[in-house]
């Protein structure tokens, strides 16, 4: 492989009246200005605000300090439950799940229920019994499920997180950080089933009885109150205090906000997300589908083949600022014919201030036959 480095300068909007429409190229100036706002003063013991597609940190306060997550633990539980198989499948309720202390969807001994209903009951009503039932259905045992939770946290990069149970009930060895929860939530929101559950305002489960047995309303007010709110999960224990992971999307920019041990959880999350939309927007830094560079071809009908990105790249840019990027192409010295359109071949990294902010695969943009002396 060979590396090619190119410097480019992206001019952000100079007046900042909202994020670029993903269907349009960015303009260099707009007529109506929207004033930027200062970072709010918040009461959370720790907090973080990130742009979801890149993970760029827009605000943080004590984001790497250890804290107790309470029921936002269930974000990881839901993700693993979804990934364990068909969410429509009907599963038996584990005996260990029945009567779990705290918030409940009132599972009964011997009950059979769709995994989907358990997931909604866990995420919307914060049912601790539902979390235990999901874990028992998704792994050989609840203990093994907790092992999987910790393994997945490590894979995601949440290195300062340690889970002891699927629900978030307090345990001195059950801890996380605001930064880690942002990473976990970002990973979960890549899953379309999780996104749908996290954004739901209510859900009717296929169970006997009436509310609270079969009708779940979302306790997370973000989906009702905040313009563009898309989820995700709240939590509370007396020791952890109020914990919240909130997400929202406006004008093509999605943000994830985590506040831990915060008496003003919703107000602070809304203020932080307002801060994001007032100060940042998504700018198209590169088009997709067109050629970016040529890669030499060995024994092909042509001596090179064009390569480029599958789609455009958008990055968060502070309004009114210029964005200087270093592009690092990592491509093969040559490719062998025949080649196929959309054959993956190398990567393109976008670097800013010494850090990689985005990585995208490069694809060959044409079919190329082997060299034939008869032609």
């Amino acid at each position: 492989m060979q590396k090619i480095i190119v410097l480019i300068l992206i001019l952000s909007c100079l007046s900042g009246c909202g994020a670029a429409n993903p269907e349009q190229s960015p303009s260099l100036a707009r007529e109506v200005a929207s004033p930027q706002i200062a970072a709010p003063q918040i009461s959370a013991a720790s907090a973080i605000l990130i742009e979801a597609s890149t993970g760029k940190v827009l605000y943080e306060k004590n984001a790497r300090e250890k804290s107790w997550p309470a029921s936002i633990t269930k974000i990881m539980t839901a993700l693993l439950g979804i990934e364990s198989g068909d969410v429509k499948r009907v599963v038996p309720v584990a005996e260990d799940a029945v009567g779990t202390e705290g918030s409940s969807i009132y599972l009964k001994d011997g009950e059979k229920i769709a995994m989907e209903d358990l997931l909604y009951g866990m995420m919307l009503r914060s049912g601790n019994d539902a979390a235990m039932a999901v874990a028992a259905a998704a792994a050989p045992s609840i203990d093994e499920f907790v092992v999987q939770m910790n393994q997945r946290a490590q894979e995601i990069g949440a290195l300062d997180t340690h889970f002891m149970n699927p629900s978030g009930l307090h345990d001195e060895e059950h801890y996380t950080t605001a930064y880690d929860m942002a990473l976990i939530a970002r990973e979960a929101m890549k899953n379309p089933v999780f996104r749908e559950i996290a954004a739901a305002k209510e859900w009717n489960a296929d169970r006997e009885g009436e509310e609270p047995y079969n009708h779940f309303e979302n306790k997370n007010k973000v989906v009702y109150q905040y313009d563009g709110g898309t989820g995700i999960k709240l939590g509370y224990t007396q020791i952890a205090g109020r914990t919240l992971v909130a997400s929202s999307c406006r004008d093509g920019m999605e943000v994830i906000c985590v506040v831990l041990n915060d008496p003003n959880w919703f107000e602070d999350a809304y203020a932080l997300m307002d801060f994001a939309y007032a100060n940042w927007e998504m700018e198209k830094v590169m088009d997709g589908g067109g050629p970016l560079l040529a890669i030499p071809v060995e024994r092909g009908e042509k001596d090179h083949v064009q390569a480029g990105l599958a789609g455009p790249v958008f990055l968060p840019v502070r309004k009114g600022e210029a964005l200087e990027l270093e592009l690092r192409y990592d491509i093969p010295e040559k490719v062998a014919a025949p080649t196929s359109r959309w054959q993956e071949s190398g990567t393109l990294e976008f670097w800013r201030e010494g850090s990689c902010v985005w990585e995208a695969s490069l694809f060959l943009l044409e079919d190329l036959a082997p060299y034939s002396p008869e032609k």
Side-chain angles (χ1 to χ4, degrees):
M1 303 290 280
Q2 59 175 322
K3 292 185 179 291
I4 302 174
I5 299 177
V6 179
L7 288 175
I8 64 170
L9 183 69
I10 304 297
L11 296 179
S12 168
C13 75
L14 302 181
S15 56
C17 66
N21 187 323
E23 300 300 322
Q24 300 173 347
S25 297
S27 61
L28 297 184
R30 295 171 172 82
E31 295 180 357
V32 181
S34 173
Q36 297 188 20
I37 63 174
Q41 298 294 314
I42 63 172
S43 57
S46 58
I48 196 166
L49 174 72
I50 67 169
E51 190 278 316
S53 68
T54 62
K56 178 178 174 59
V57 176
L58 308 180
Y59 169 92
E60 58 183 319
K61 174 186 177 182
N62 303 326
R64 309 290 182 123
E65 290 190 2
K66 187 173 89 170
S67 187
W68 292 290
S71 280
I72 59 175
T73 296
K74 296 183 175 84
I75 297 171
M76 177 65 86
T77 303
L79 178 60
L80 293 181
I82 292 166
E83 293 176 342
S84 70
D86 182 8
V87 297
K88 301 290 186 181
R89 72 188 190 276
V90 175
V91 300
V93 172
E95 183 179 349
D96 290 344
V98 178
T100 305
E101 65 177 293
S103 300
S104 178
I105 64 168
Y106 306 99
L107 292 172
K108 299 176 182 177
D109 190 21
E111 180 178 358
K112 294 184 178 180
I113 185 172
M115 173 66 87
E116 185 176 41
D117 290 336
L118 290 174
L119 291 165
Y120 275 95
M122 177 180 66
M123 288 293 291
L124 274 59
R125 286 295 298 264
S126 205
N128 290 336
D129 55 350
M132 296 288 280
V134 166
S141 68
I142 293 174
D143 287 343
E144 176 58 29
F145 185 85
V146 173
V147 171
Q148 294 177 13
M149 292 173 71
N150 287 311
Q151 288 175 341
R152 191 60 185 277
Q154 292 289 307
E155 292 169 3
I156 293 170
L159 305 181
D160 295 315
T161 290
H162 185 259
F163 296 117
M164 291 293 290
N165 59 69
S167 65
L169 285 172
H170 183 72
D171 187 295
E172 288 293 319
E173 295 303 314
H174 188 99
Y175 55 81
T176 189
T177 67
Y179 175 78
D180 281 6
M181 285 310 307
L183 294 181
I184 293 169
R186 180 181 176 227
E187 181 70 15
M189 289 294 276
K190 295 176 184 178
N191 185 295
V193 176
F194 181 92
R195 290 185 68 91
E196 186 174 351
I197 295 172
K201 294 180 180 178
E202 60 182 358
W203 178 257
N204 290 315
D206 186 15
R207 302 175 69 198
E208 295 181 357
E210 300 178 354
E211 191 176 358
Y213 296 97
N214 64 1
H215 181 71
F216 309 142
E217 293 187 356
N218 201 334
K219 294 182 177 182
N220 179 14
K221 295 186 288 186
V222 173
V223 300
Y224 307 101
Q225 294 181 337
Y226 193 76
D227 181 20
T230 54
I232 300 176
K233 186 75 184 74
L234 57 73
Y236 172 80
T237 66
Q238 188 172 4
I239 297 175
R242 294 175 174 178
T243 65
L244 174 65
V245 180
S247 65
S248 61
C249 186
R250 293 183 191 172
D251 298 321
M253 184 170 79
E254 184 169 44
V255 297
I256 295 172
C257 176
V258 181
V259 291
L260 301 180
N261 192 9
D262 188 351
N264 298 311
W265 47 354
F266 287 104
E267 295 87 346
D268 286 345
Y270 298 162
L272 285 171
M273 292 190 291
D274 285 346
F275 168 70
Y277 295 122
N279 292 282
W280 279 270
E281 62 186 344
M282 301 303 286
E283 288 285 347
K284 183 161 67 173
V285 300
M286 187 165 287
D287 288 312
L292 294 177
L293 76 169
I295 300 177
V297 176
E298 183 178 23
R299 297 189 60 79
E301 60 181 352
K302 290 167 50 179
D303 62 3
H304 66 276
V305 60
Q306 298 291 339
L309 300 171
V313 174
F314 291 84
L315 296 177
V317 181
R318 187 130 191 172
K319 294 179 180 180
E321 288 187 358
L323 175 63
E324 186 175 284
L325 291 173
E326 180 182 282
L327 305 185
R328 299 185 183 183
Y329 293 89
D330 192 0
I331 59 173
E333 296 282 349
K334 55 187 174 182
V335 294
T339 68
S340 302
R341 182 173 173 81
W342 304 124
Q343 175 182 326
E344 189 171 346
S345 188
T347 58
L348 172 57
E349 295 177 350
F350 296 79
W351 286 69
R352 184 186 188 191
E353 298 174 355
S355 297
C356 181
V357 296
W358 185 254
E359 180 179 306
S361 295
L362 290 168
F363 297 89
L364 303 184
L365 300 179
E366 54 188 319
D367 298 324
L368 197 62
Y371 169 75
S372 174
E374 298 177 358
K375 290 186 177 181

